[in-house]
Amino acid sequence: MDFASYFMGGFECSTHRKLDGTQLDMLCATHHDALAERDYRQLRALGMSTIRDGVRWHLIEREPGIYDWSSFLPMLQAAARAEVQVIWDLCHYGWPSSIDIWSAEFVRRFGAFARELARLVQSETKEPPWFCPVNEMSFWSWAGGEVAHMAPAGVLRGRELKRQLVRASLAARAEILSVIPTARFLHAEPLIHVAGGTETEADMAEAEAFRLSQYEACDMLDGRLEPELGGHPDVLDVVGVNFYPHNEWAIGTGAIPLGNHGYRALSDMLAEVYWRYGKSLVIAETGAEGGARAAWLHYVCDEVAIASRVGVPILGICLYPITAYPGWENGRSCPVGILGAVDSQGYRPIYTPLAQELRRQQGAMRLSTASEPDASSNW
């Protein structure tokens, strides 16, 4: 079995620097770093025994080659005590400030960091571990390399940053496998659809070029694009796709709403990814805000069922973020996921409509197992 549960919960773990120089730490902002074991147990009680979580490289390697695991080891041990399986994100948009991300040193030090992390994980766990080396290289290269929305604040350097992130991901994978040959890997990239707003030839061409760019990172990883980077088909283990309500838009006119004639069915998009790579898929991130949460999960599960019926192997669906969190830019409370913001007693309230929909989907898809706790008492 690849994963301990089909439905997964993912903790927002971004650590990127904003343009004002502030470095985010969403695990700290949501108090998950201090409450990891309690959070894991709460998700396990809801039938989610597989978790996506993050390793904060910038806290661990404050000085070159010197690793302080105090921010990570308690979480690793908490996962073992709670008996959950974790897919660890090694780089979720953040890196130590002492490294120039555009340099060869970034790739070398990330590989060394991954190797030492693997040694620690190997010493603490028995089952083959899961890692996501670099999260959303496509989004990061656009936001951080093309339009300067986040660090490293590059302009028109998106392709350059994407190559650098691919090099780093390949280096991390190689170093991890040198320590743990049985390690498994999830490569999570945004899943998007882009249409031509005016349907002019130029508009349609721009839209299609942007749409196809979503595949560049995985194409580099598997060696079909820029093979000099070192990619190979064996690199792609499980392909993760991150899909949200805002992931479909038209050039010049904005988001395409669900139900609009131009909205592309998720099942079609999943099939296209599978036919391109021939690898099992995971919906590595999905979710909506506020009152849309339950309906969105219902839509995603319906589309996954359709894709599965035509032969697309989908190994899981990760609700992400699984807890409310403060927004990246303005700190506003973002009501997402099943678990709310922690109260003064360290308790996270359950958002009942989404929890009930999750339970319905677990039953409808026959994905609950005897090893997963009965969640019926939680609402």
Side-chain angles (χ1 to χ4, degrees):
M1 182 173 65
D2 294 286
F3 297 109
S5 65
Y6 189 89
F7 285 98
M8 313 172 186
F11 290 92
E12 163 65 289
C13 55
S14 298
T15 58
H16 57 282
R17 284 189 296 277
K18 301 198 302 184
L19 297 183
D20 65 4
T22 303
Q23 184 143 28
L24 298 181
D25 183 344
M26 301 309 295
L27 293 181
C28 177
T30 58
H31 305 287
H32 172 62
D33 55 351
L35 301 173
E37 184 171 353
R38 187 178 299 184
D39 289 342
Y40 293 153
R41 291 186 183 279
Q42 196 166 12
L43 290 191
R44 182 172 168 79
L46 290 165
M48 290 178 281
S49 299
T50 298
I51 310 295
R52 278 196 72 190
D53 214 330
V55 181
R56 293 169 288 178
W57 183 18
H58 74 288
L59 295 181
I60 294 168
E61 191 182 3
R62 294 181 187 272
E63 298 181 47
I66 300 175
Y67 305 103
D68 175 2
W69 300 108
S70 60
S71 65
F72 172 64
L73 184 57
M75 297 175 65
L76 181 64
Q77 294 171 336
R81 289 192 300 270
E83 299 182 308
V84 296
Q85 174 192 51
V86 181
I87 305 165
W88 295 107
D89 280 19
L90 273 61
C91 187
H92 203 111
Y93 311 137
W95 72 98
S97 59
S98 62
I99 306 175
D100 177 3
I101 196 172
W102 304 103
S103 70
E105 181 190 17
F106 173 78
V107 176
R108 179 186 61 78
R109 281 179 57 180
F110 186 57
F113 164 68
R115 181 182 63 247
E116 297 307 312
L117 176 72
R119 288 174 175 165
L120 178 63
V121 170
Q122 184 184 50
S123 71
E124 294 286 333
T125 59
K126 296 179 181 179
E127 298 297 322
W130 278 86
F131 300 99
C132 177
V134 182
N135 180 67
E136 287 196 331
M137 292 182 282
S138 297
F139 172 75
W140 191 1
S141 62
W142 173 79
E146 193 71 15
V147 297
H149 282 178
M150 60 192 288
V155 176
L156 301 180
R157 298 180 71 182
R159 188 63 173 262
E160 181 184 353
L161 180 57
K162 189 174 293 184
R163 294 189 192 99
Q164 187 74 333
L165 297 176
V166 167
R167 291 187 190 99
S169 181
L170 291 170
R173 175 184 179 274
E175 292 289 358
I176 289 169
L177 289 175
S178 74
V179 176
I180 312 175
T182 57
R184 302 290 305 276
F185 296 89
L186 173 71
H187 298 281
E189 291 293 310
L191 182 64
I192 63 171
H193 175 63
V194 187
T198 64
E199 297 189 357
T200 63
E201 186 174 339
D203 220 13
M204 298 293 284
E206 179 185 354
E208 183 64 0
F210 203 120
R211 189 188 75 81
L212 291 176
S213 72
Q214 70 184 301
Y215 296 122
E216 288 178 353
C218 284
D219 284 356
M220 290 176 183
L221 288 174
D222 85 348
R224 71 181 67 189
L225 181 64
E226 303 195 29
E228 66 274 11
L229 297 175
H232 187 275
D234 290 345
V235 170
L236 290 181
D237 184 352
V238 172
V239 177
V241 293
N242 299 349
F243 187 69
Y244 294 98
H246 55 262
N247 280 33
E248 300 199 29
W249 68 91
I251 297 293
T253 60
I256 303 173
L258 180 63
N260 182 279
H261 71 278
Y263 196 89
R264 188 179 182 193
L266 173 59
S267 53
D268 289 345
M269 299 165 72
L270 294 171
E272 182 176 317
V273 176
Y274 175 60
W275 293 331
R276 188 179 188 92
Y277 299 112
K279 304 285 185 171
S280 296
L281 308 183
V282 165
I283 297 186
E285 294 182 17
T286 196
E289 279 202 40
R293 281 175 275 185
W296 181 253
L297 178 60
H298 186 97
Y299 169 73
V300 168
C301 290
D302 279 356
E303 291 296 307
V304 164
I306 292 169
S308 298
R309 286 197 291 270
V310 297
V312 181
I314 301 169
L315 303 180
I317 299 171
C318 181
L319 281 64
Y320 192 101
I322 199 65
T323 68
Y325 71 98
W328 289 357
E329 298 300 326
N330 54 18
R332 73 174 180 88
S333 178
C334 300
V336 297
I338 284 182
L339 304 181
V342 64
D343 63 19
S344 60
Q345 304 301 313
Y347 174 75
R348 297 189 191 277
I350 292 173
Y351 180 65
T352 301
L354 181 57
Q356 290 176 335
E357 181 61 27
L358 172 64
R359 183 61 172 170
R360 281 192 290 271
Q361 294 297 339
Q362 287 168 330
M365 301 174 75
R366 299 179 181 176
L367 297 171
S368 296
T369 68
S371 63
E372 292 177 340
D374 184 354
S376 61
S377 63
N378 288 282
W379 49 80

